[in-house]
Amino acid sequence: MGSEWGLSAASGLVAPLLVDYLVKPIERRIRYLFRFHKIVQELHQNQQDLAAKETQVKDDIEEAKLQIRTQVIYDQVDEWLTKAENALKDVKVLDSRIEENKRCFRLCPNWCWRYQLSQEIENKTLEIADLVKKSEFKRVGHRAKLPNLNLVTSKDHVDLKSSEAAFNKIMEALKDDKVKKIGVWGMGGVGKTTLVRNVGGEVKGFDRVIMVTVSETLDIEKIQNKIADNIDLKFEKKTGEVKAAELWSRLSNGKFLVILDDLWKEWNDDGDLRKIGIPLVKDEKGCKIILTTRNYNVYQHMECEKTVQVKVLEDDEAWTLFEMNAGLKKADSHVIGEAKKIAKECKGLPLAIVTLAKALKGKALDRWKDSRKKLERSALMEIPSIQTEREKNAYISLKISYEHLKNKMSQTCFLLCALYLEDDSINVEDLVRYAWGLNLYDKTNSIEEMRIQVLEVINYLKDSCLLEDGDVGRYVKLHDIVRDVALWIASEEGSSFMIKSRMEILNKSSESSKAISLLGSGRKKFPDRLMHSKLEILLLNNCDIQGTCFLGMRELKVLNLTAVYGTGVISLYALTFLPKLRALHLDSFEYFSFLGNLTTLEILSLSGWVFKGFADELEMLENLKILDLINCAFPGGFQSKVIQRLSQLEELYPPRLHINNDIFLEIKFFTRLRRLFVEVPSLHCPLDFKFPELEKYKIGINGYSIHFGYREMSGFGYTFDTARSLKIEEVFPYNAFSQLVGNLESLEVSKIKD
């Protein structure tokens, strides 16, 4: 009985083995020979699936990079994309062999060749199926660590004993489990921000380093948004308390280093941290905090367990830094004598030393003597934030650096940057449009020529250490002390570019002002009874404004106006009193009666919902060179024929939604057009269609999920990440795009049917 059972069991095992080892291979071999077309069909189906997944993963990567501009893509995602790309290339090679096999097989059957080719196709099909299966990534990347930056005011690194000692103290404190808060204090311009950035770049043992600039005016929502951006958190609701709860929950489940840079006022310690949503570290979960401040009392009130003072440079360090940045290795002995006196007058402040050294580099002896005398005899300015002789000298040094700028355009571009709020990132494209509106360089014949001039000035200002690189791309920033100096320069009697940036000083006097900037988020009422006879540029955000205030602005050339949400806005009729207006940005306006009367306009930028009256008014603005509607929505659809009379257009940014492909019928008549950003849901170009001679362009055909690398701006500006790009799905009209193909920087095509 037992033996019979054993034989039965054995036979039960043998049968499947015989099938696996004998029958199935024979079936596969027969299939290779007689089901060739079916195998090819399966290959192409898997090829389509993989191509769709590849597009999806690339879109996910682009989306991630747009949301977090320091996104680092995971190695396994890059590896998958490489494998997918290679597999799709292999299919193209196989396709050519398949076609060859079909032709040859009809003439002279070669069963051996077909068998081998079928086997390769099936193996590739299985490989592709495996790639499709592995294409579901929960996350495609992570935020990069903060870079380890060298001294912010110098492109060349100098080992400074004072900053090295402070750096080591902070790193040791971070290792101490008892230390939750570290206070870093020192006067403005001494290098606190650079120091903590270096710490953030070098420290180990934290899930993420988060650096937030607090500034003089505390904005809790801005801080919350910055932290959320750093930890890839999207808020579900917008109320402050809910944001705080979401941040608290996320930060409590990891170990984070939060750097709060530039605190000016005392906080209610842990209470204010809780309002933001920052939990202090407990049982190795939560946040350790580094805060920087100029005010000794701030870190004392915050009860920091460890304090680190960043001191000014010793005389020998100050001279080494000055000598290097002024290029004095082979200088005349008289120049070196003056330079040593100037370096000493900089009082050990790196910011003052580097900017002034670069300003005087290569100058004649008399310029050195003049600068030294100004430093020695300058009286203390009446600026509330200046408390010491050292700070006074920092301001004077920066002012002298400004005076040494090579021309008026450089000086005015520098002062334009002071129109932005403290610690704002400044879009260079904004500056280009301001410069055109103000006619800063009257020898330019086109917007692109002005852009070249402004970019040259921006690089010059960065080389002079008066500007820093911004957070991303084509953005710049002003150090807070440099901004203070710019505003001080622009506030002096006789200034060629008088700036008013606070309501209290605006109310005192404004008749001599050339620039007014009230960009803060708080609601304000703009005075309507003051004279503004010299005003050339006006930037207003969240301001109640009466149309009568424009009556005296006969020189106004640039206007950036964001309406107060939910209130009535001024009639554009009020702007018809501005006979020199060249650049206009309107945000949150809906009705555009009288816009067509602004015939001097050369730059028009709009944001928000656009309702009645726009089309009829727009076609009257025949002098427009830039039309920027990229952040607009047209509920009734954007009729491209309204732009047909704008023959002077050099740059066109139509809305991303509610647009049809008829716009290409208009574009071909714009002989001056040099920049174009357009996305349309389909394309039917005439056979004889040709683009103008575009220098920069982004063109997307079919589908609005492409995002396309643009950056929305709060003001005029908009930046190209990639200068010459095409992204096309389903159809590729080569005749229409042939003239662009030769100089493309980025080309993406997918799902092309023919």
Side-chain angles (χ1 to χ4, degrees), residues 218-424:
L218 177 63
D219 187 334
I220 288 180
E221 184 177 8
K222 184 177 178 181
I223 295 171
Q224 289 174 327
N225 292 339
K226 181 70 173 178
I227 295 174
D229 185 39
N230 272 267
I231 59 176
D232 313 333
L233 174 65
K234 286 184 175 294
F235 290 120
E236 294 183 6
K237 296 184 179 179
K238 293 187 176 181
T239 63
E241 291 181 0
V242 174
K243 285 183 176 182
E246 289 183 37
L247 281 175
W248 189 279
S249 176
R250 176 68 69 85
L251 295 173
S252 297
N253 289 312
K255 188 175 182 182
F256 300 90
L257 175 60
V258 178
I259 301 173
L260 300 173
D261 189 35
D262 198 22
L263 272 73
W264 282 69
K265 298 175 183 177
E266 299 170 359
W267 285 13
N268 183 22
D269 198 20
D270 296 349
D272 280 325
L273 293 175
R274 183 174 287 275
K275 284 180 186 176
I276 295 170
I278 302 175
L280 288 174
V281 66
K282 184 178 181 181
D283 298 328
E284 297 191 351
K285 294 287 186 181
C287 305
K288 284 202 172 191
I289 293 175
I290 299 176
L291 62 90
T292 75
T293 180
R294 302 180 191 182
N295 190 338
Y296 180 82
N297 295 324
V298 169
Y299 86 78
Q300 276 195 324
H301 189 82
M302 294 280 288
E303 298 180 354
C304 297
E305 291 87 359
K306 181 70 176 179
T307 59
V308 177
Q309 182 182 5
V310 184
K311 299 179 180 180
V312 296
L313 304 183
E314 300 289 343
D315 287 347
D316 57 337
E317 291 181 316
W319 171 245
T320 299
L321 187 61
F322 191 98
E323 182 184 37
M324 182 188 69
N325 283 278
L328 296 173
K329 290 293 184 182
K330 297 180 180 180
D332 177 84
S333 59
H334 297 291
V335 169
I336 290 178
E338 294 294 333
K340 287 185 175 181
K341 294 174 184 176
I342 290 172
K344 194 166 185 178
E345 287 294 328
C346 290
K347 307 297 182 183
L349 280 173
L351 183 64
I353 290 168
V354 175
T355 52
L356 192 50
K358 284 183 176 290
L360 292 170
K361 185 176 182 178
K363 297 293 191 296
L365 178 60
D366 60 336
R367 302 286 292 276
W368 285 88
K369 288 181 177 179
D370 182 59
S371 297
R372 188 253 307 161
K373 290 175 182 176
K374 285 181 178 179
L375 275 171
E376 290 176 344
R377 67 170 179 254
S378 294
L380 191 64
M381 293 82 68
E382 294 181 359
I383 300 177
S385 59
I386 296 182
Q387 299 174 356
T388 68
E389 191 73 13
R390 292 184 188 278
E391 289 176 311
K392 179 206 77 171
N393 281 47
Y395 276 69
I396 297 298
S397 299
L398 290 167
K399 185 171 185 279
I400 294 172
S401 299
Y402 163 83
E403 291 170 352
H404 281 288
L405 292 176
K406 59 185 179 183
N407 54 40
K408 183 180 178 181
M409 184 177 177
S410 301
Q411 293 181 336
T412 305
C413 278
F414 170 68
L415 296 179
L416 281 173
C417 293
L419 296 173
Y420 290 80
L421 298 175
E422 184 181 354
D423 297 310
D424 267 3

Side-chain angles (χ1 to χ4, degrees), residues 23 35 39 83 99 142 248 274 294 301 305 309 317 321 359 375 377 379 403 488 490-491 594 596 670 708 713 719:
V23 179
R35 301 294 301 280
I39 294 171
K83 289 180 178 179
E99 289 301 315
H142 62 90
W248 189 279
R274 183 174 287 275
R294 302 180 191 182
H301 189 82
E305 291 87 359
Q309 182 182 5
E317 291 181 316
L321 187 61
L375 275 171
R377 67 170 179 254
E403 291 170 352
W488 169 55
S491 70
F594 304 107
F670 294 151
F708 226 46
M713 300 310 306
T719 57

